[in-house]
Amino acid sequence: MTIKVMIVDDSAVVRQVLTQQLDGIQGIKVIASATDPIFAMKKMAEQWPDVIILDIEMPRMDGITFLKKIMAEHPTPVVICSTLTERGAAVTMEAMASGAVDIITKPKAGLKAFLSEHKAQLIDAIKAAAMARVRGARAPAAPAAARLQTPSPKLSADAVLASSTKPMSETTDRVVAIGTSTGGTQALERVLVQLPRDAPGIVVVQHMPEQFTAAFAKRLDSVCQITVKEAEMGDRVMPGLALIANGGKHLILRRSGAQYRVELKDGPLISRHRPSVDVLFRSVANSAGPNAVGIIMTGMGDDGASGMREMHDAGAYTIAQNEATCVVYGMPKEAVKAGGVDIEVPIDDIPRLLLKHGRG
């Protein structure tokens, strides 16, 4: 099966470079490109794409309006192609809330070099989108392209953080660690908005590009009873607070007496991600052990599977989102296969279990 891709962007350079990057990739074919949504709809009437790569700011019809129209009339996986700016990040979060499944970024200058360097992430985003359930639609069988291994090194959490077998004593503080990827922006909002102000402290890795996590945290904070913020070095994990890992930095939990604090750390991509769920989960296993709850939700790939097994073996209670409610049932599936999951449940059961086991 070949994934049919349409590119909608008013920049001829962006359309050309994206097409060149995808040309020759087995299992992916750019079937059309368009300068704006009006032209795109005419082309889509002739052949409907499996995945749309969509710019946000365009003439005649903006990307958000077009996205909402698609989701209302013919739900289709959409990957947002957004500029690396504060304005771009804020609007992109609106797009994610409106149904887009992933983000790829583009700088204002040096586009070709940037996209060449991030080619693997572009391909992964398209493959994940092609597998996505959009607005409850049943996911298609995994396309051939999604089963291909992207030719890039895949490091484990060992490259950032050593594992520990030292048993952890119980403390009054509890930690909930959440890992997610494709479809995770909507999934996290769905979980966090149900939590009361005194919910246990939460640390989150959501795979997301640099400069977007601050806008994501700000959006969540505006709709949740708990406080949500982008993590800063030394932040204490405490009730009523969720800390979102920064794009481009690994998030690590450390124990300080009876308290838990976070560190931000540079390092290589782990399971092709930075931040990595495996790194966070290992640090929680090392520092919190039985004082923690681990939750893995929708996302492509296996980041978090080995880390969740480590949390489970350290005494944490571990939860996976079930297949029926995932946008992409990849990360939870691999965590279950690794033997690190205590229970697999629909997404709307997660807040109740989080509170039950996260309060000690």
Side-chain angles (χ1 to χ4, degrees):
M1 176 181 171
T2 297
I3 302 169
K4 301 186 294 293
V5 177
M6 170 173 277
I7 301 167
V8 186
D9 197 300
D10 63 335
S11 167
V13 175
V14 171
R15 297 195 306 273
Q16 180 184 40
V17 171
L18 284 173
T19 301
Q20 288 173 347
Q21 292 297 317
L22 297 173
D23 186 42
I25 300 298
Q26 184 181 355
I28 297 177
K29 181 178 176 60
V30 177
I31 59 168
S33 63
T35 57
D36 65 34
I38 306 299
F39 283 125
M41 285 188 283
K42 292 178 181 178
K43 294 187 177 183
M44 289 161 70
E46 300 170 5
Q47 185 176 19
W48 201 272
D50 298 312
V51 176
I52 300 169
I53 298 177
L54 180 64
D55 186 20
I56 295 177
E57 297 182 8
M58 291 177 289
R60 299 208 291 176
M61 181 186 289
D62 65 89
I64 300 290
T65 301
F66 181 50
L67 172 64
K68 291 178 178 178
K69 181 177 176 65
I70 290 170
M71 292 305 166
E73 298 176 4
H74 190 154
T76 303
V78 172
V79 176
I80 296 298
C81 187
S82 180
T83 51
L84 287 164
T85 63
E86 187 174 341
R87 156 72 181 164
V91 179
T92 298
M93 290 307 102
E94 183 181 352
M96 300 301 286
S98 299
V101 298
D102 214 337
I103 311 165
I104 58 174
T105 57
K106 56 183 179 181
K108 288 191 171 182
L111 177 70
K112 189 168 185 178
F114 178 86
L115 287 176
S116 294
E117 183 180 343
H118 293 78
K119 185 174 181 176
Q121 288 94 322
L122 168 64
I123 295 168
D124 283 349
I126 292 170
K127 292 176 182 177
M131 297 175 67
R133 291 180 173 86
V134 182
R135 292 288 171 89
R138 183 72 184 168
R147 296 192 295 269
L148 298 175
Q149 292 299 312
T150 304
S152 60
K154 188 175 180 183
L155 301 176
S156 76
D158 292 337
V160 174
L161 188 67
S163 181
S164 172
T165 57
K166 182 180 178 182
M168 299 302 301
S169 59
E170 296 249 356
T171 71
T172 53
D173 279 13
R174 293 289 190 268
V175 179
V176 175
I178 302 176
T180 187
S181 187
T182 310
T185 54
Q186 299 99 321
L188 277 168
E189 180 174 334
R190 191 161 167 175
V191 168
L192 297 186
V193 294
Q194 297 185 55
L195 300 180
R197 295 180 190 278
D198 63 346
I202 299 170
V203 285
V204 178
V205 164
Q206 159 71 52
H207 295 155
M208 188 173 283
E210 295 180 53
Q211 300 185 34
F212 287 79
T213 44
F216 176 49
K218 186 176 181 180
R219 172 179 167 74
L220 288 176
D221 187 62
S222 71
V223 297
C224 293
Q225 293 184 62
I226 62 171
T227 298
V228 184
K229 68 184 289 287
E230 186 181 52
E232 297 179 72
M233 183 69 82
D235 276 344
R236 181 185 169 189
V237 180
M238 54 196 302
L241 174 65
L243 299 172
I244 307 293
N246 306 53
K249 299 278 189 182
H250 291 300
L251 184 67
I252 294 174
L253 185 77
R254 300 288 191 192
R255 185 164 171 175
S256 176
Q259 299 178 357
Y260 297 101
R261 296 186 181 274
V262 297
E263 292 181 7
L264 307 176
K265 189 171 183 178
D266 292 319
L269 302 179
I270 302 302
S271 298
R272 295 206 294 271
H273 293 287
R274 186 178 57 240
S276 161
V277 181
D278 271 330
V279 171
L280 173 63
F281 281 3
R282 170 171 286 185
S283 74
V284 174
N286 287 354
S287 298
N291 305 312
V293 173
I295 300 171
I296 194 161
M297 301 199 298
T298 176
M300 184 176 174
D302 62 359
D303 187 27
S306 63
M308 177 157 272
R309 177 58 190 263
E310 291 179 32
M311 285 187 64
H312 176 272
D313 291 350
Y317 186 77
T318 53
I319 304 166
Q321 183 181 353
N322 72 351
E323 182 176 7
T325 60
C326 281
V327 171
V328 178
Y329 183 63
M331 287 163 53
K333 178 182 179 180
E334 295 302 319
V336 170
K337 283 170 60 178
V341 174
D342 285 312
I343 189 169
E344 194 174 9
V345 297
I347 189 170
D348 288 331
D349 287 352
I350 291 177
R352 173 181 59 82
L353 291 171
L354 183 161
L355 294 171
K356 177 181 177 181
H357 295 276
R359 283 173 166 162

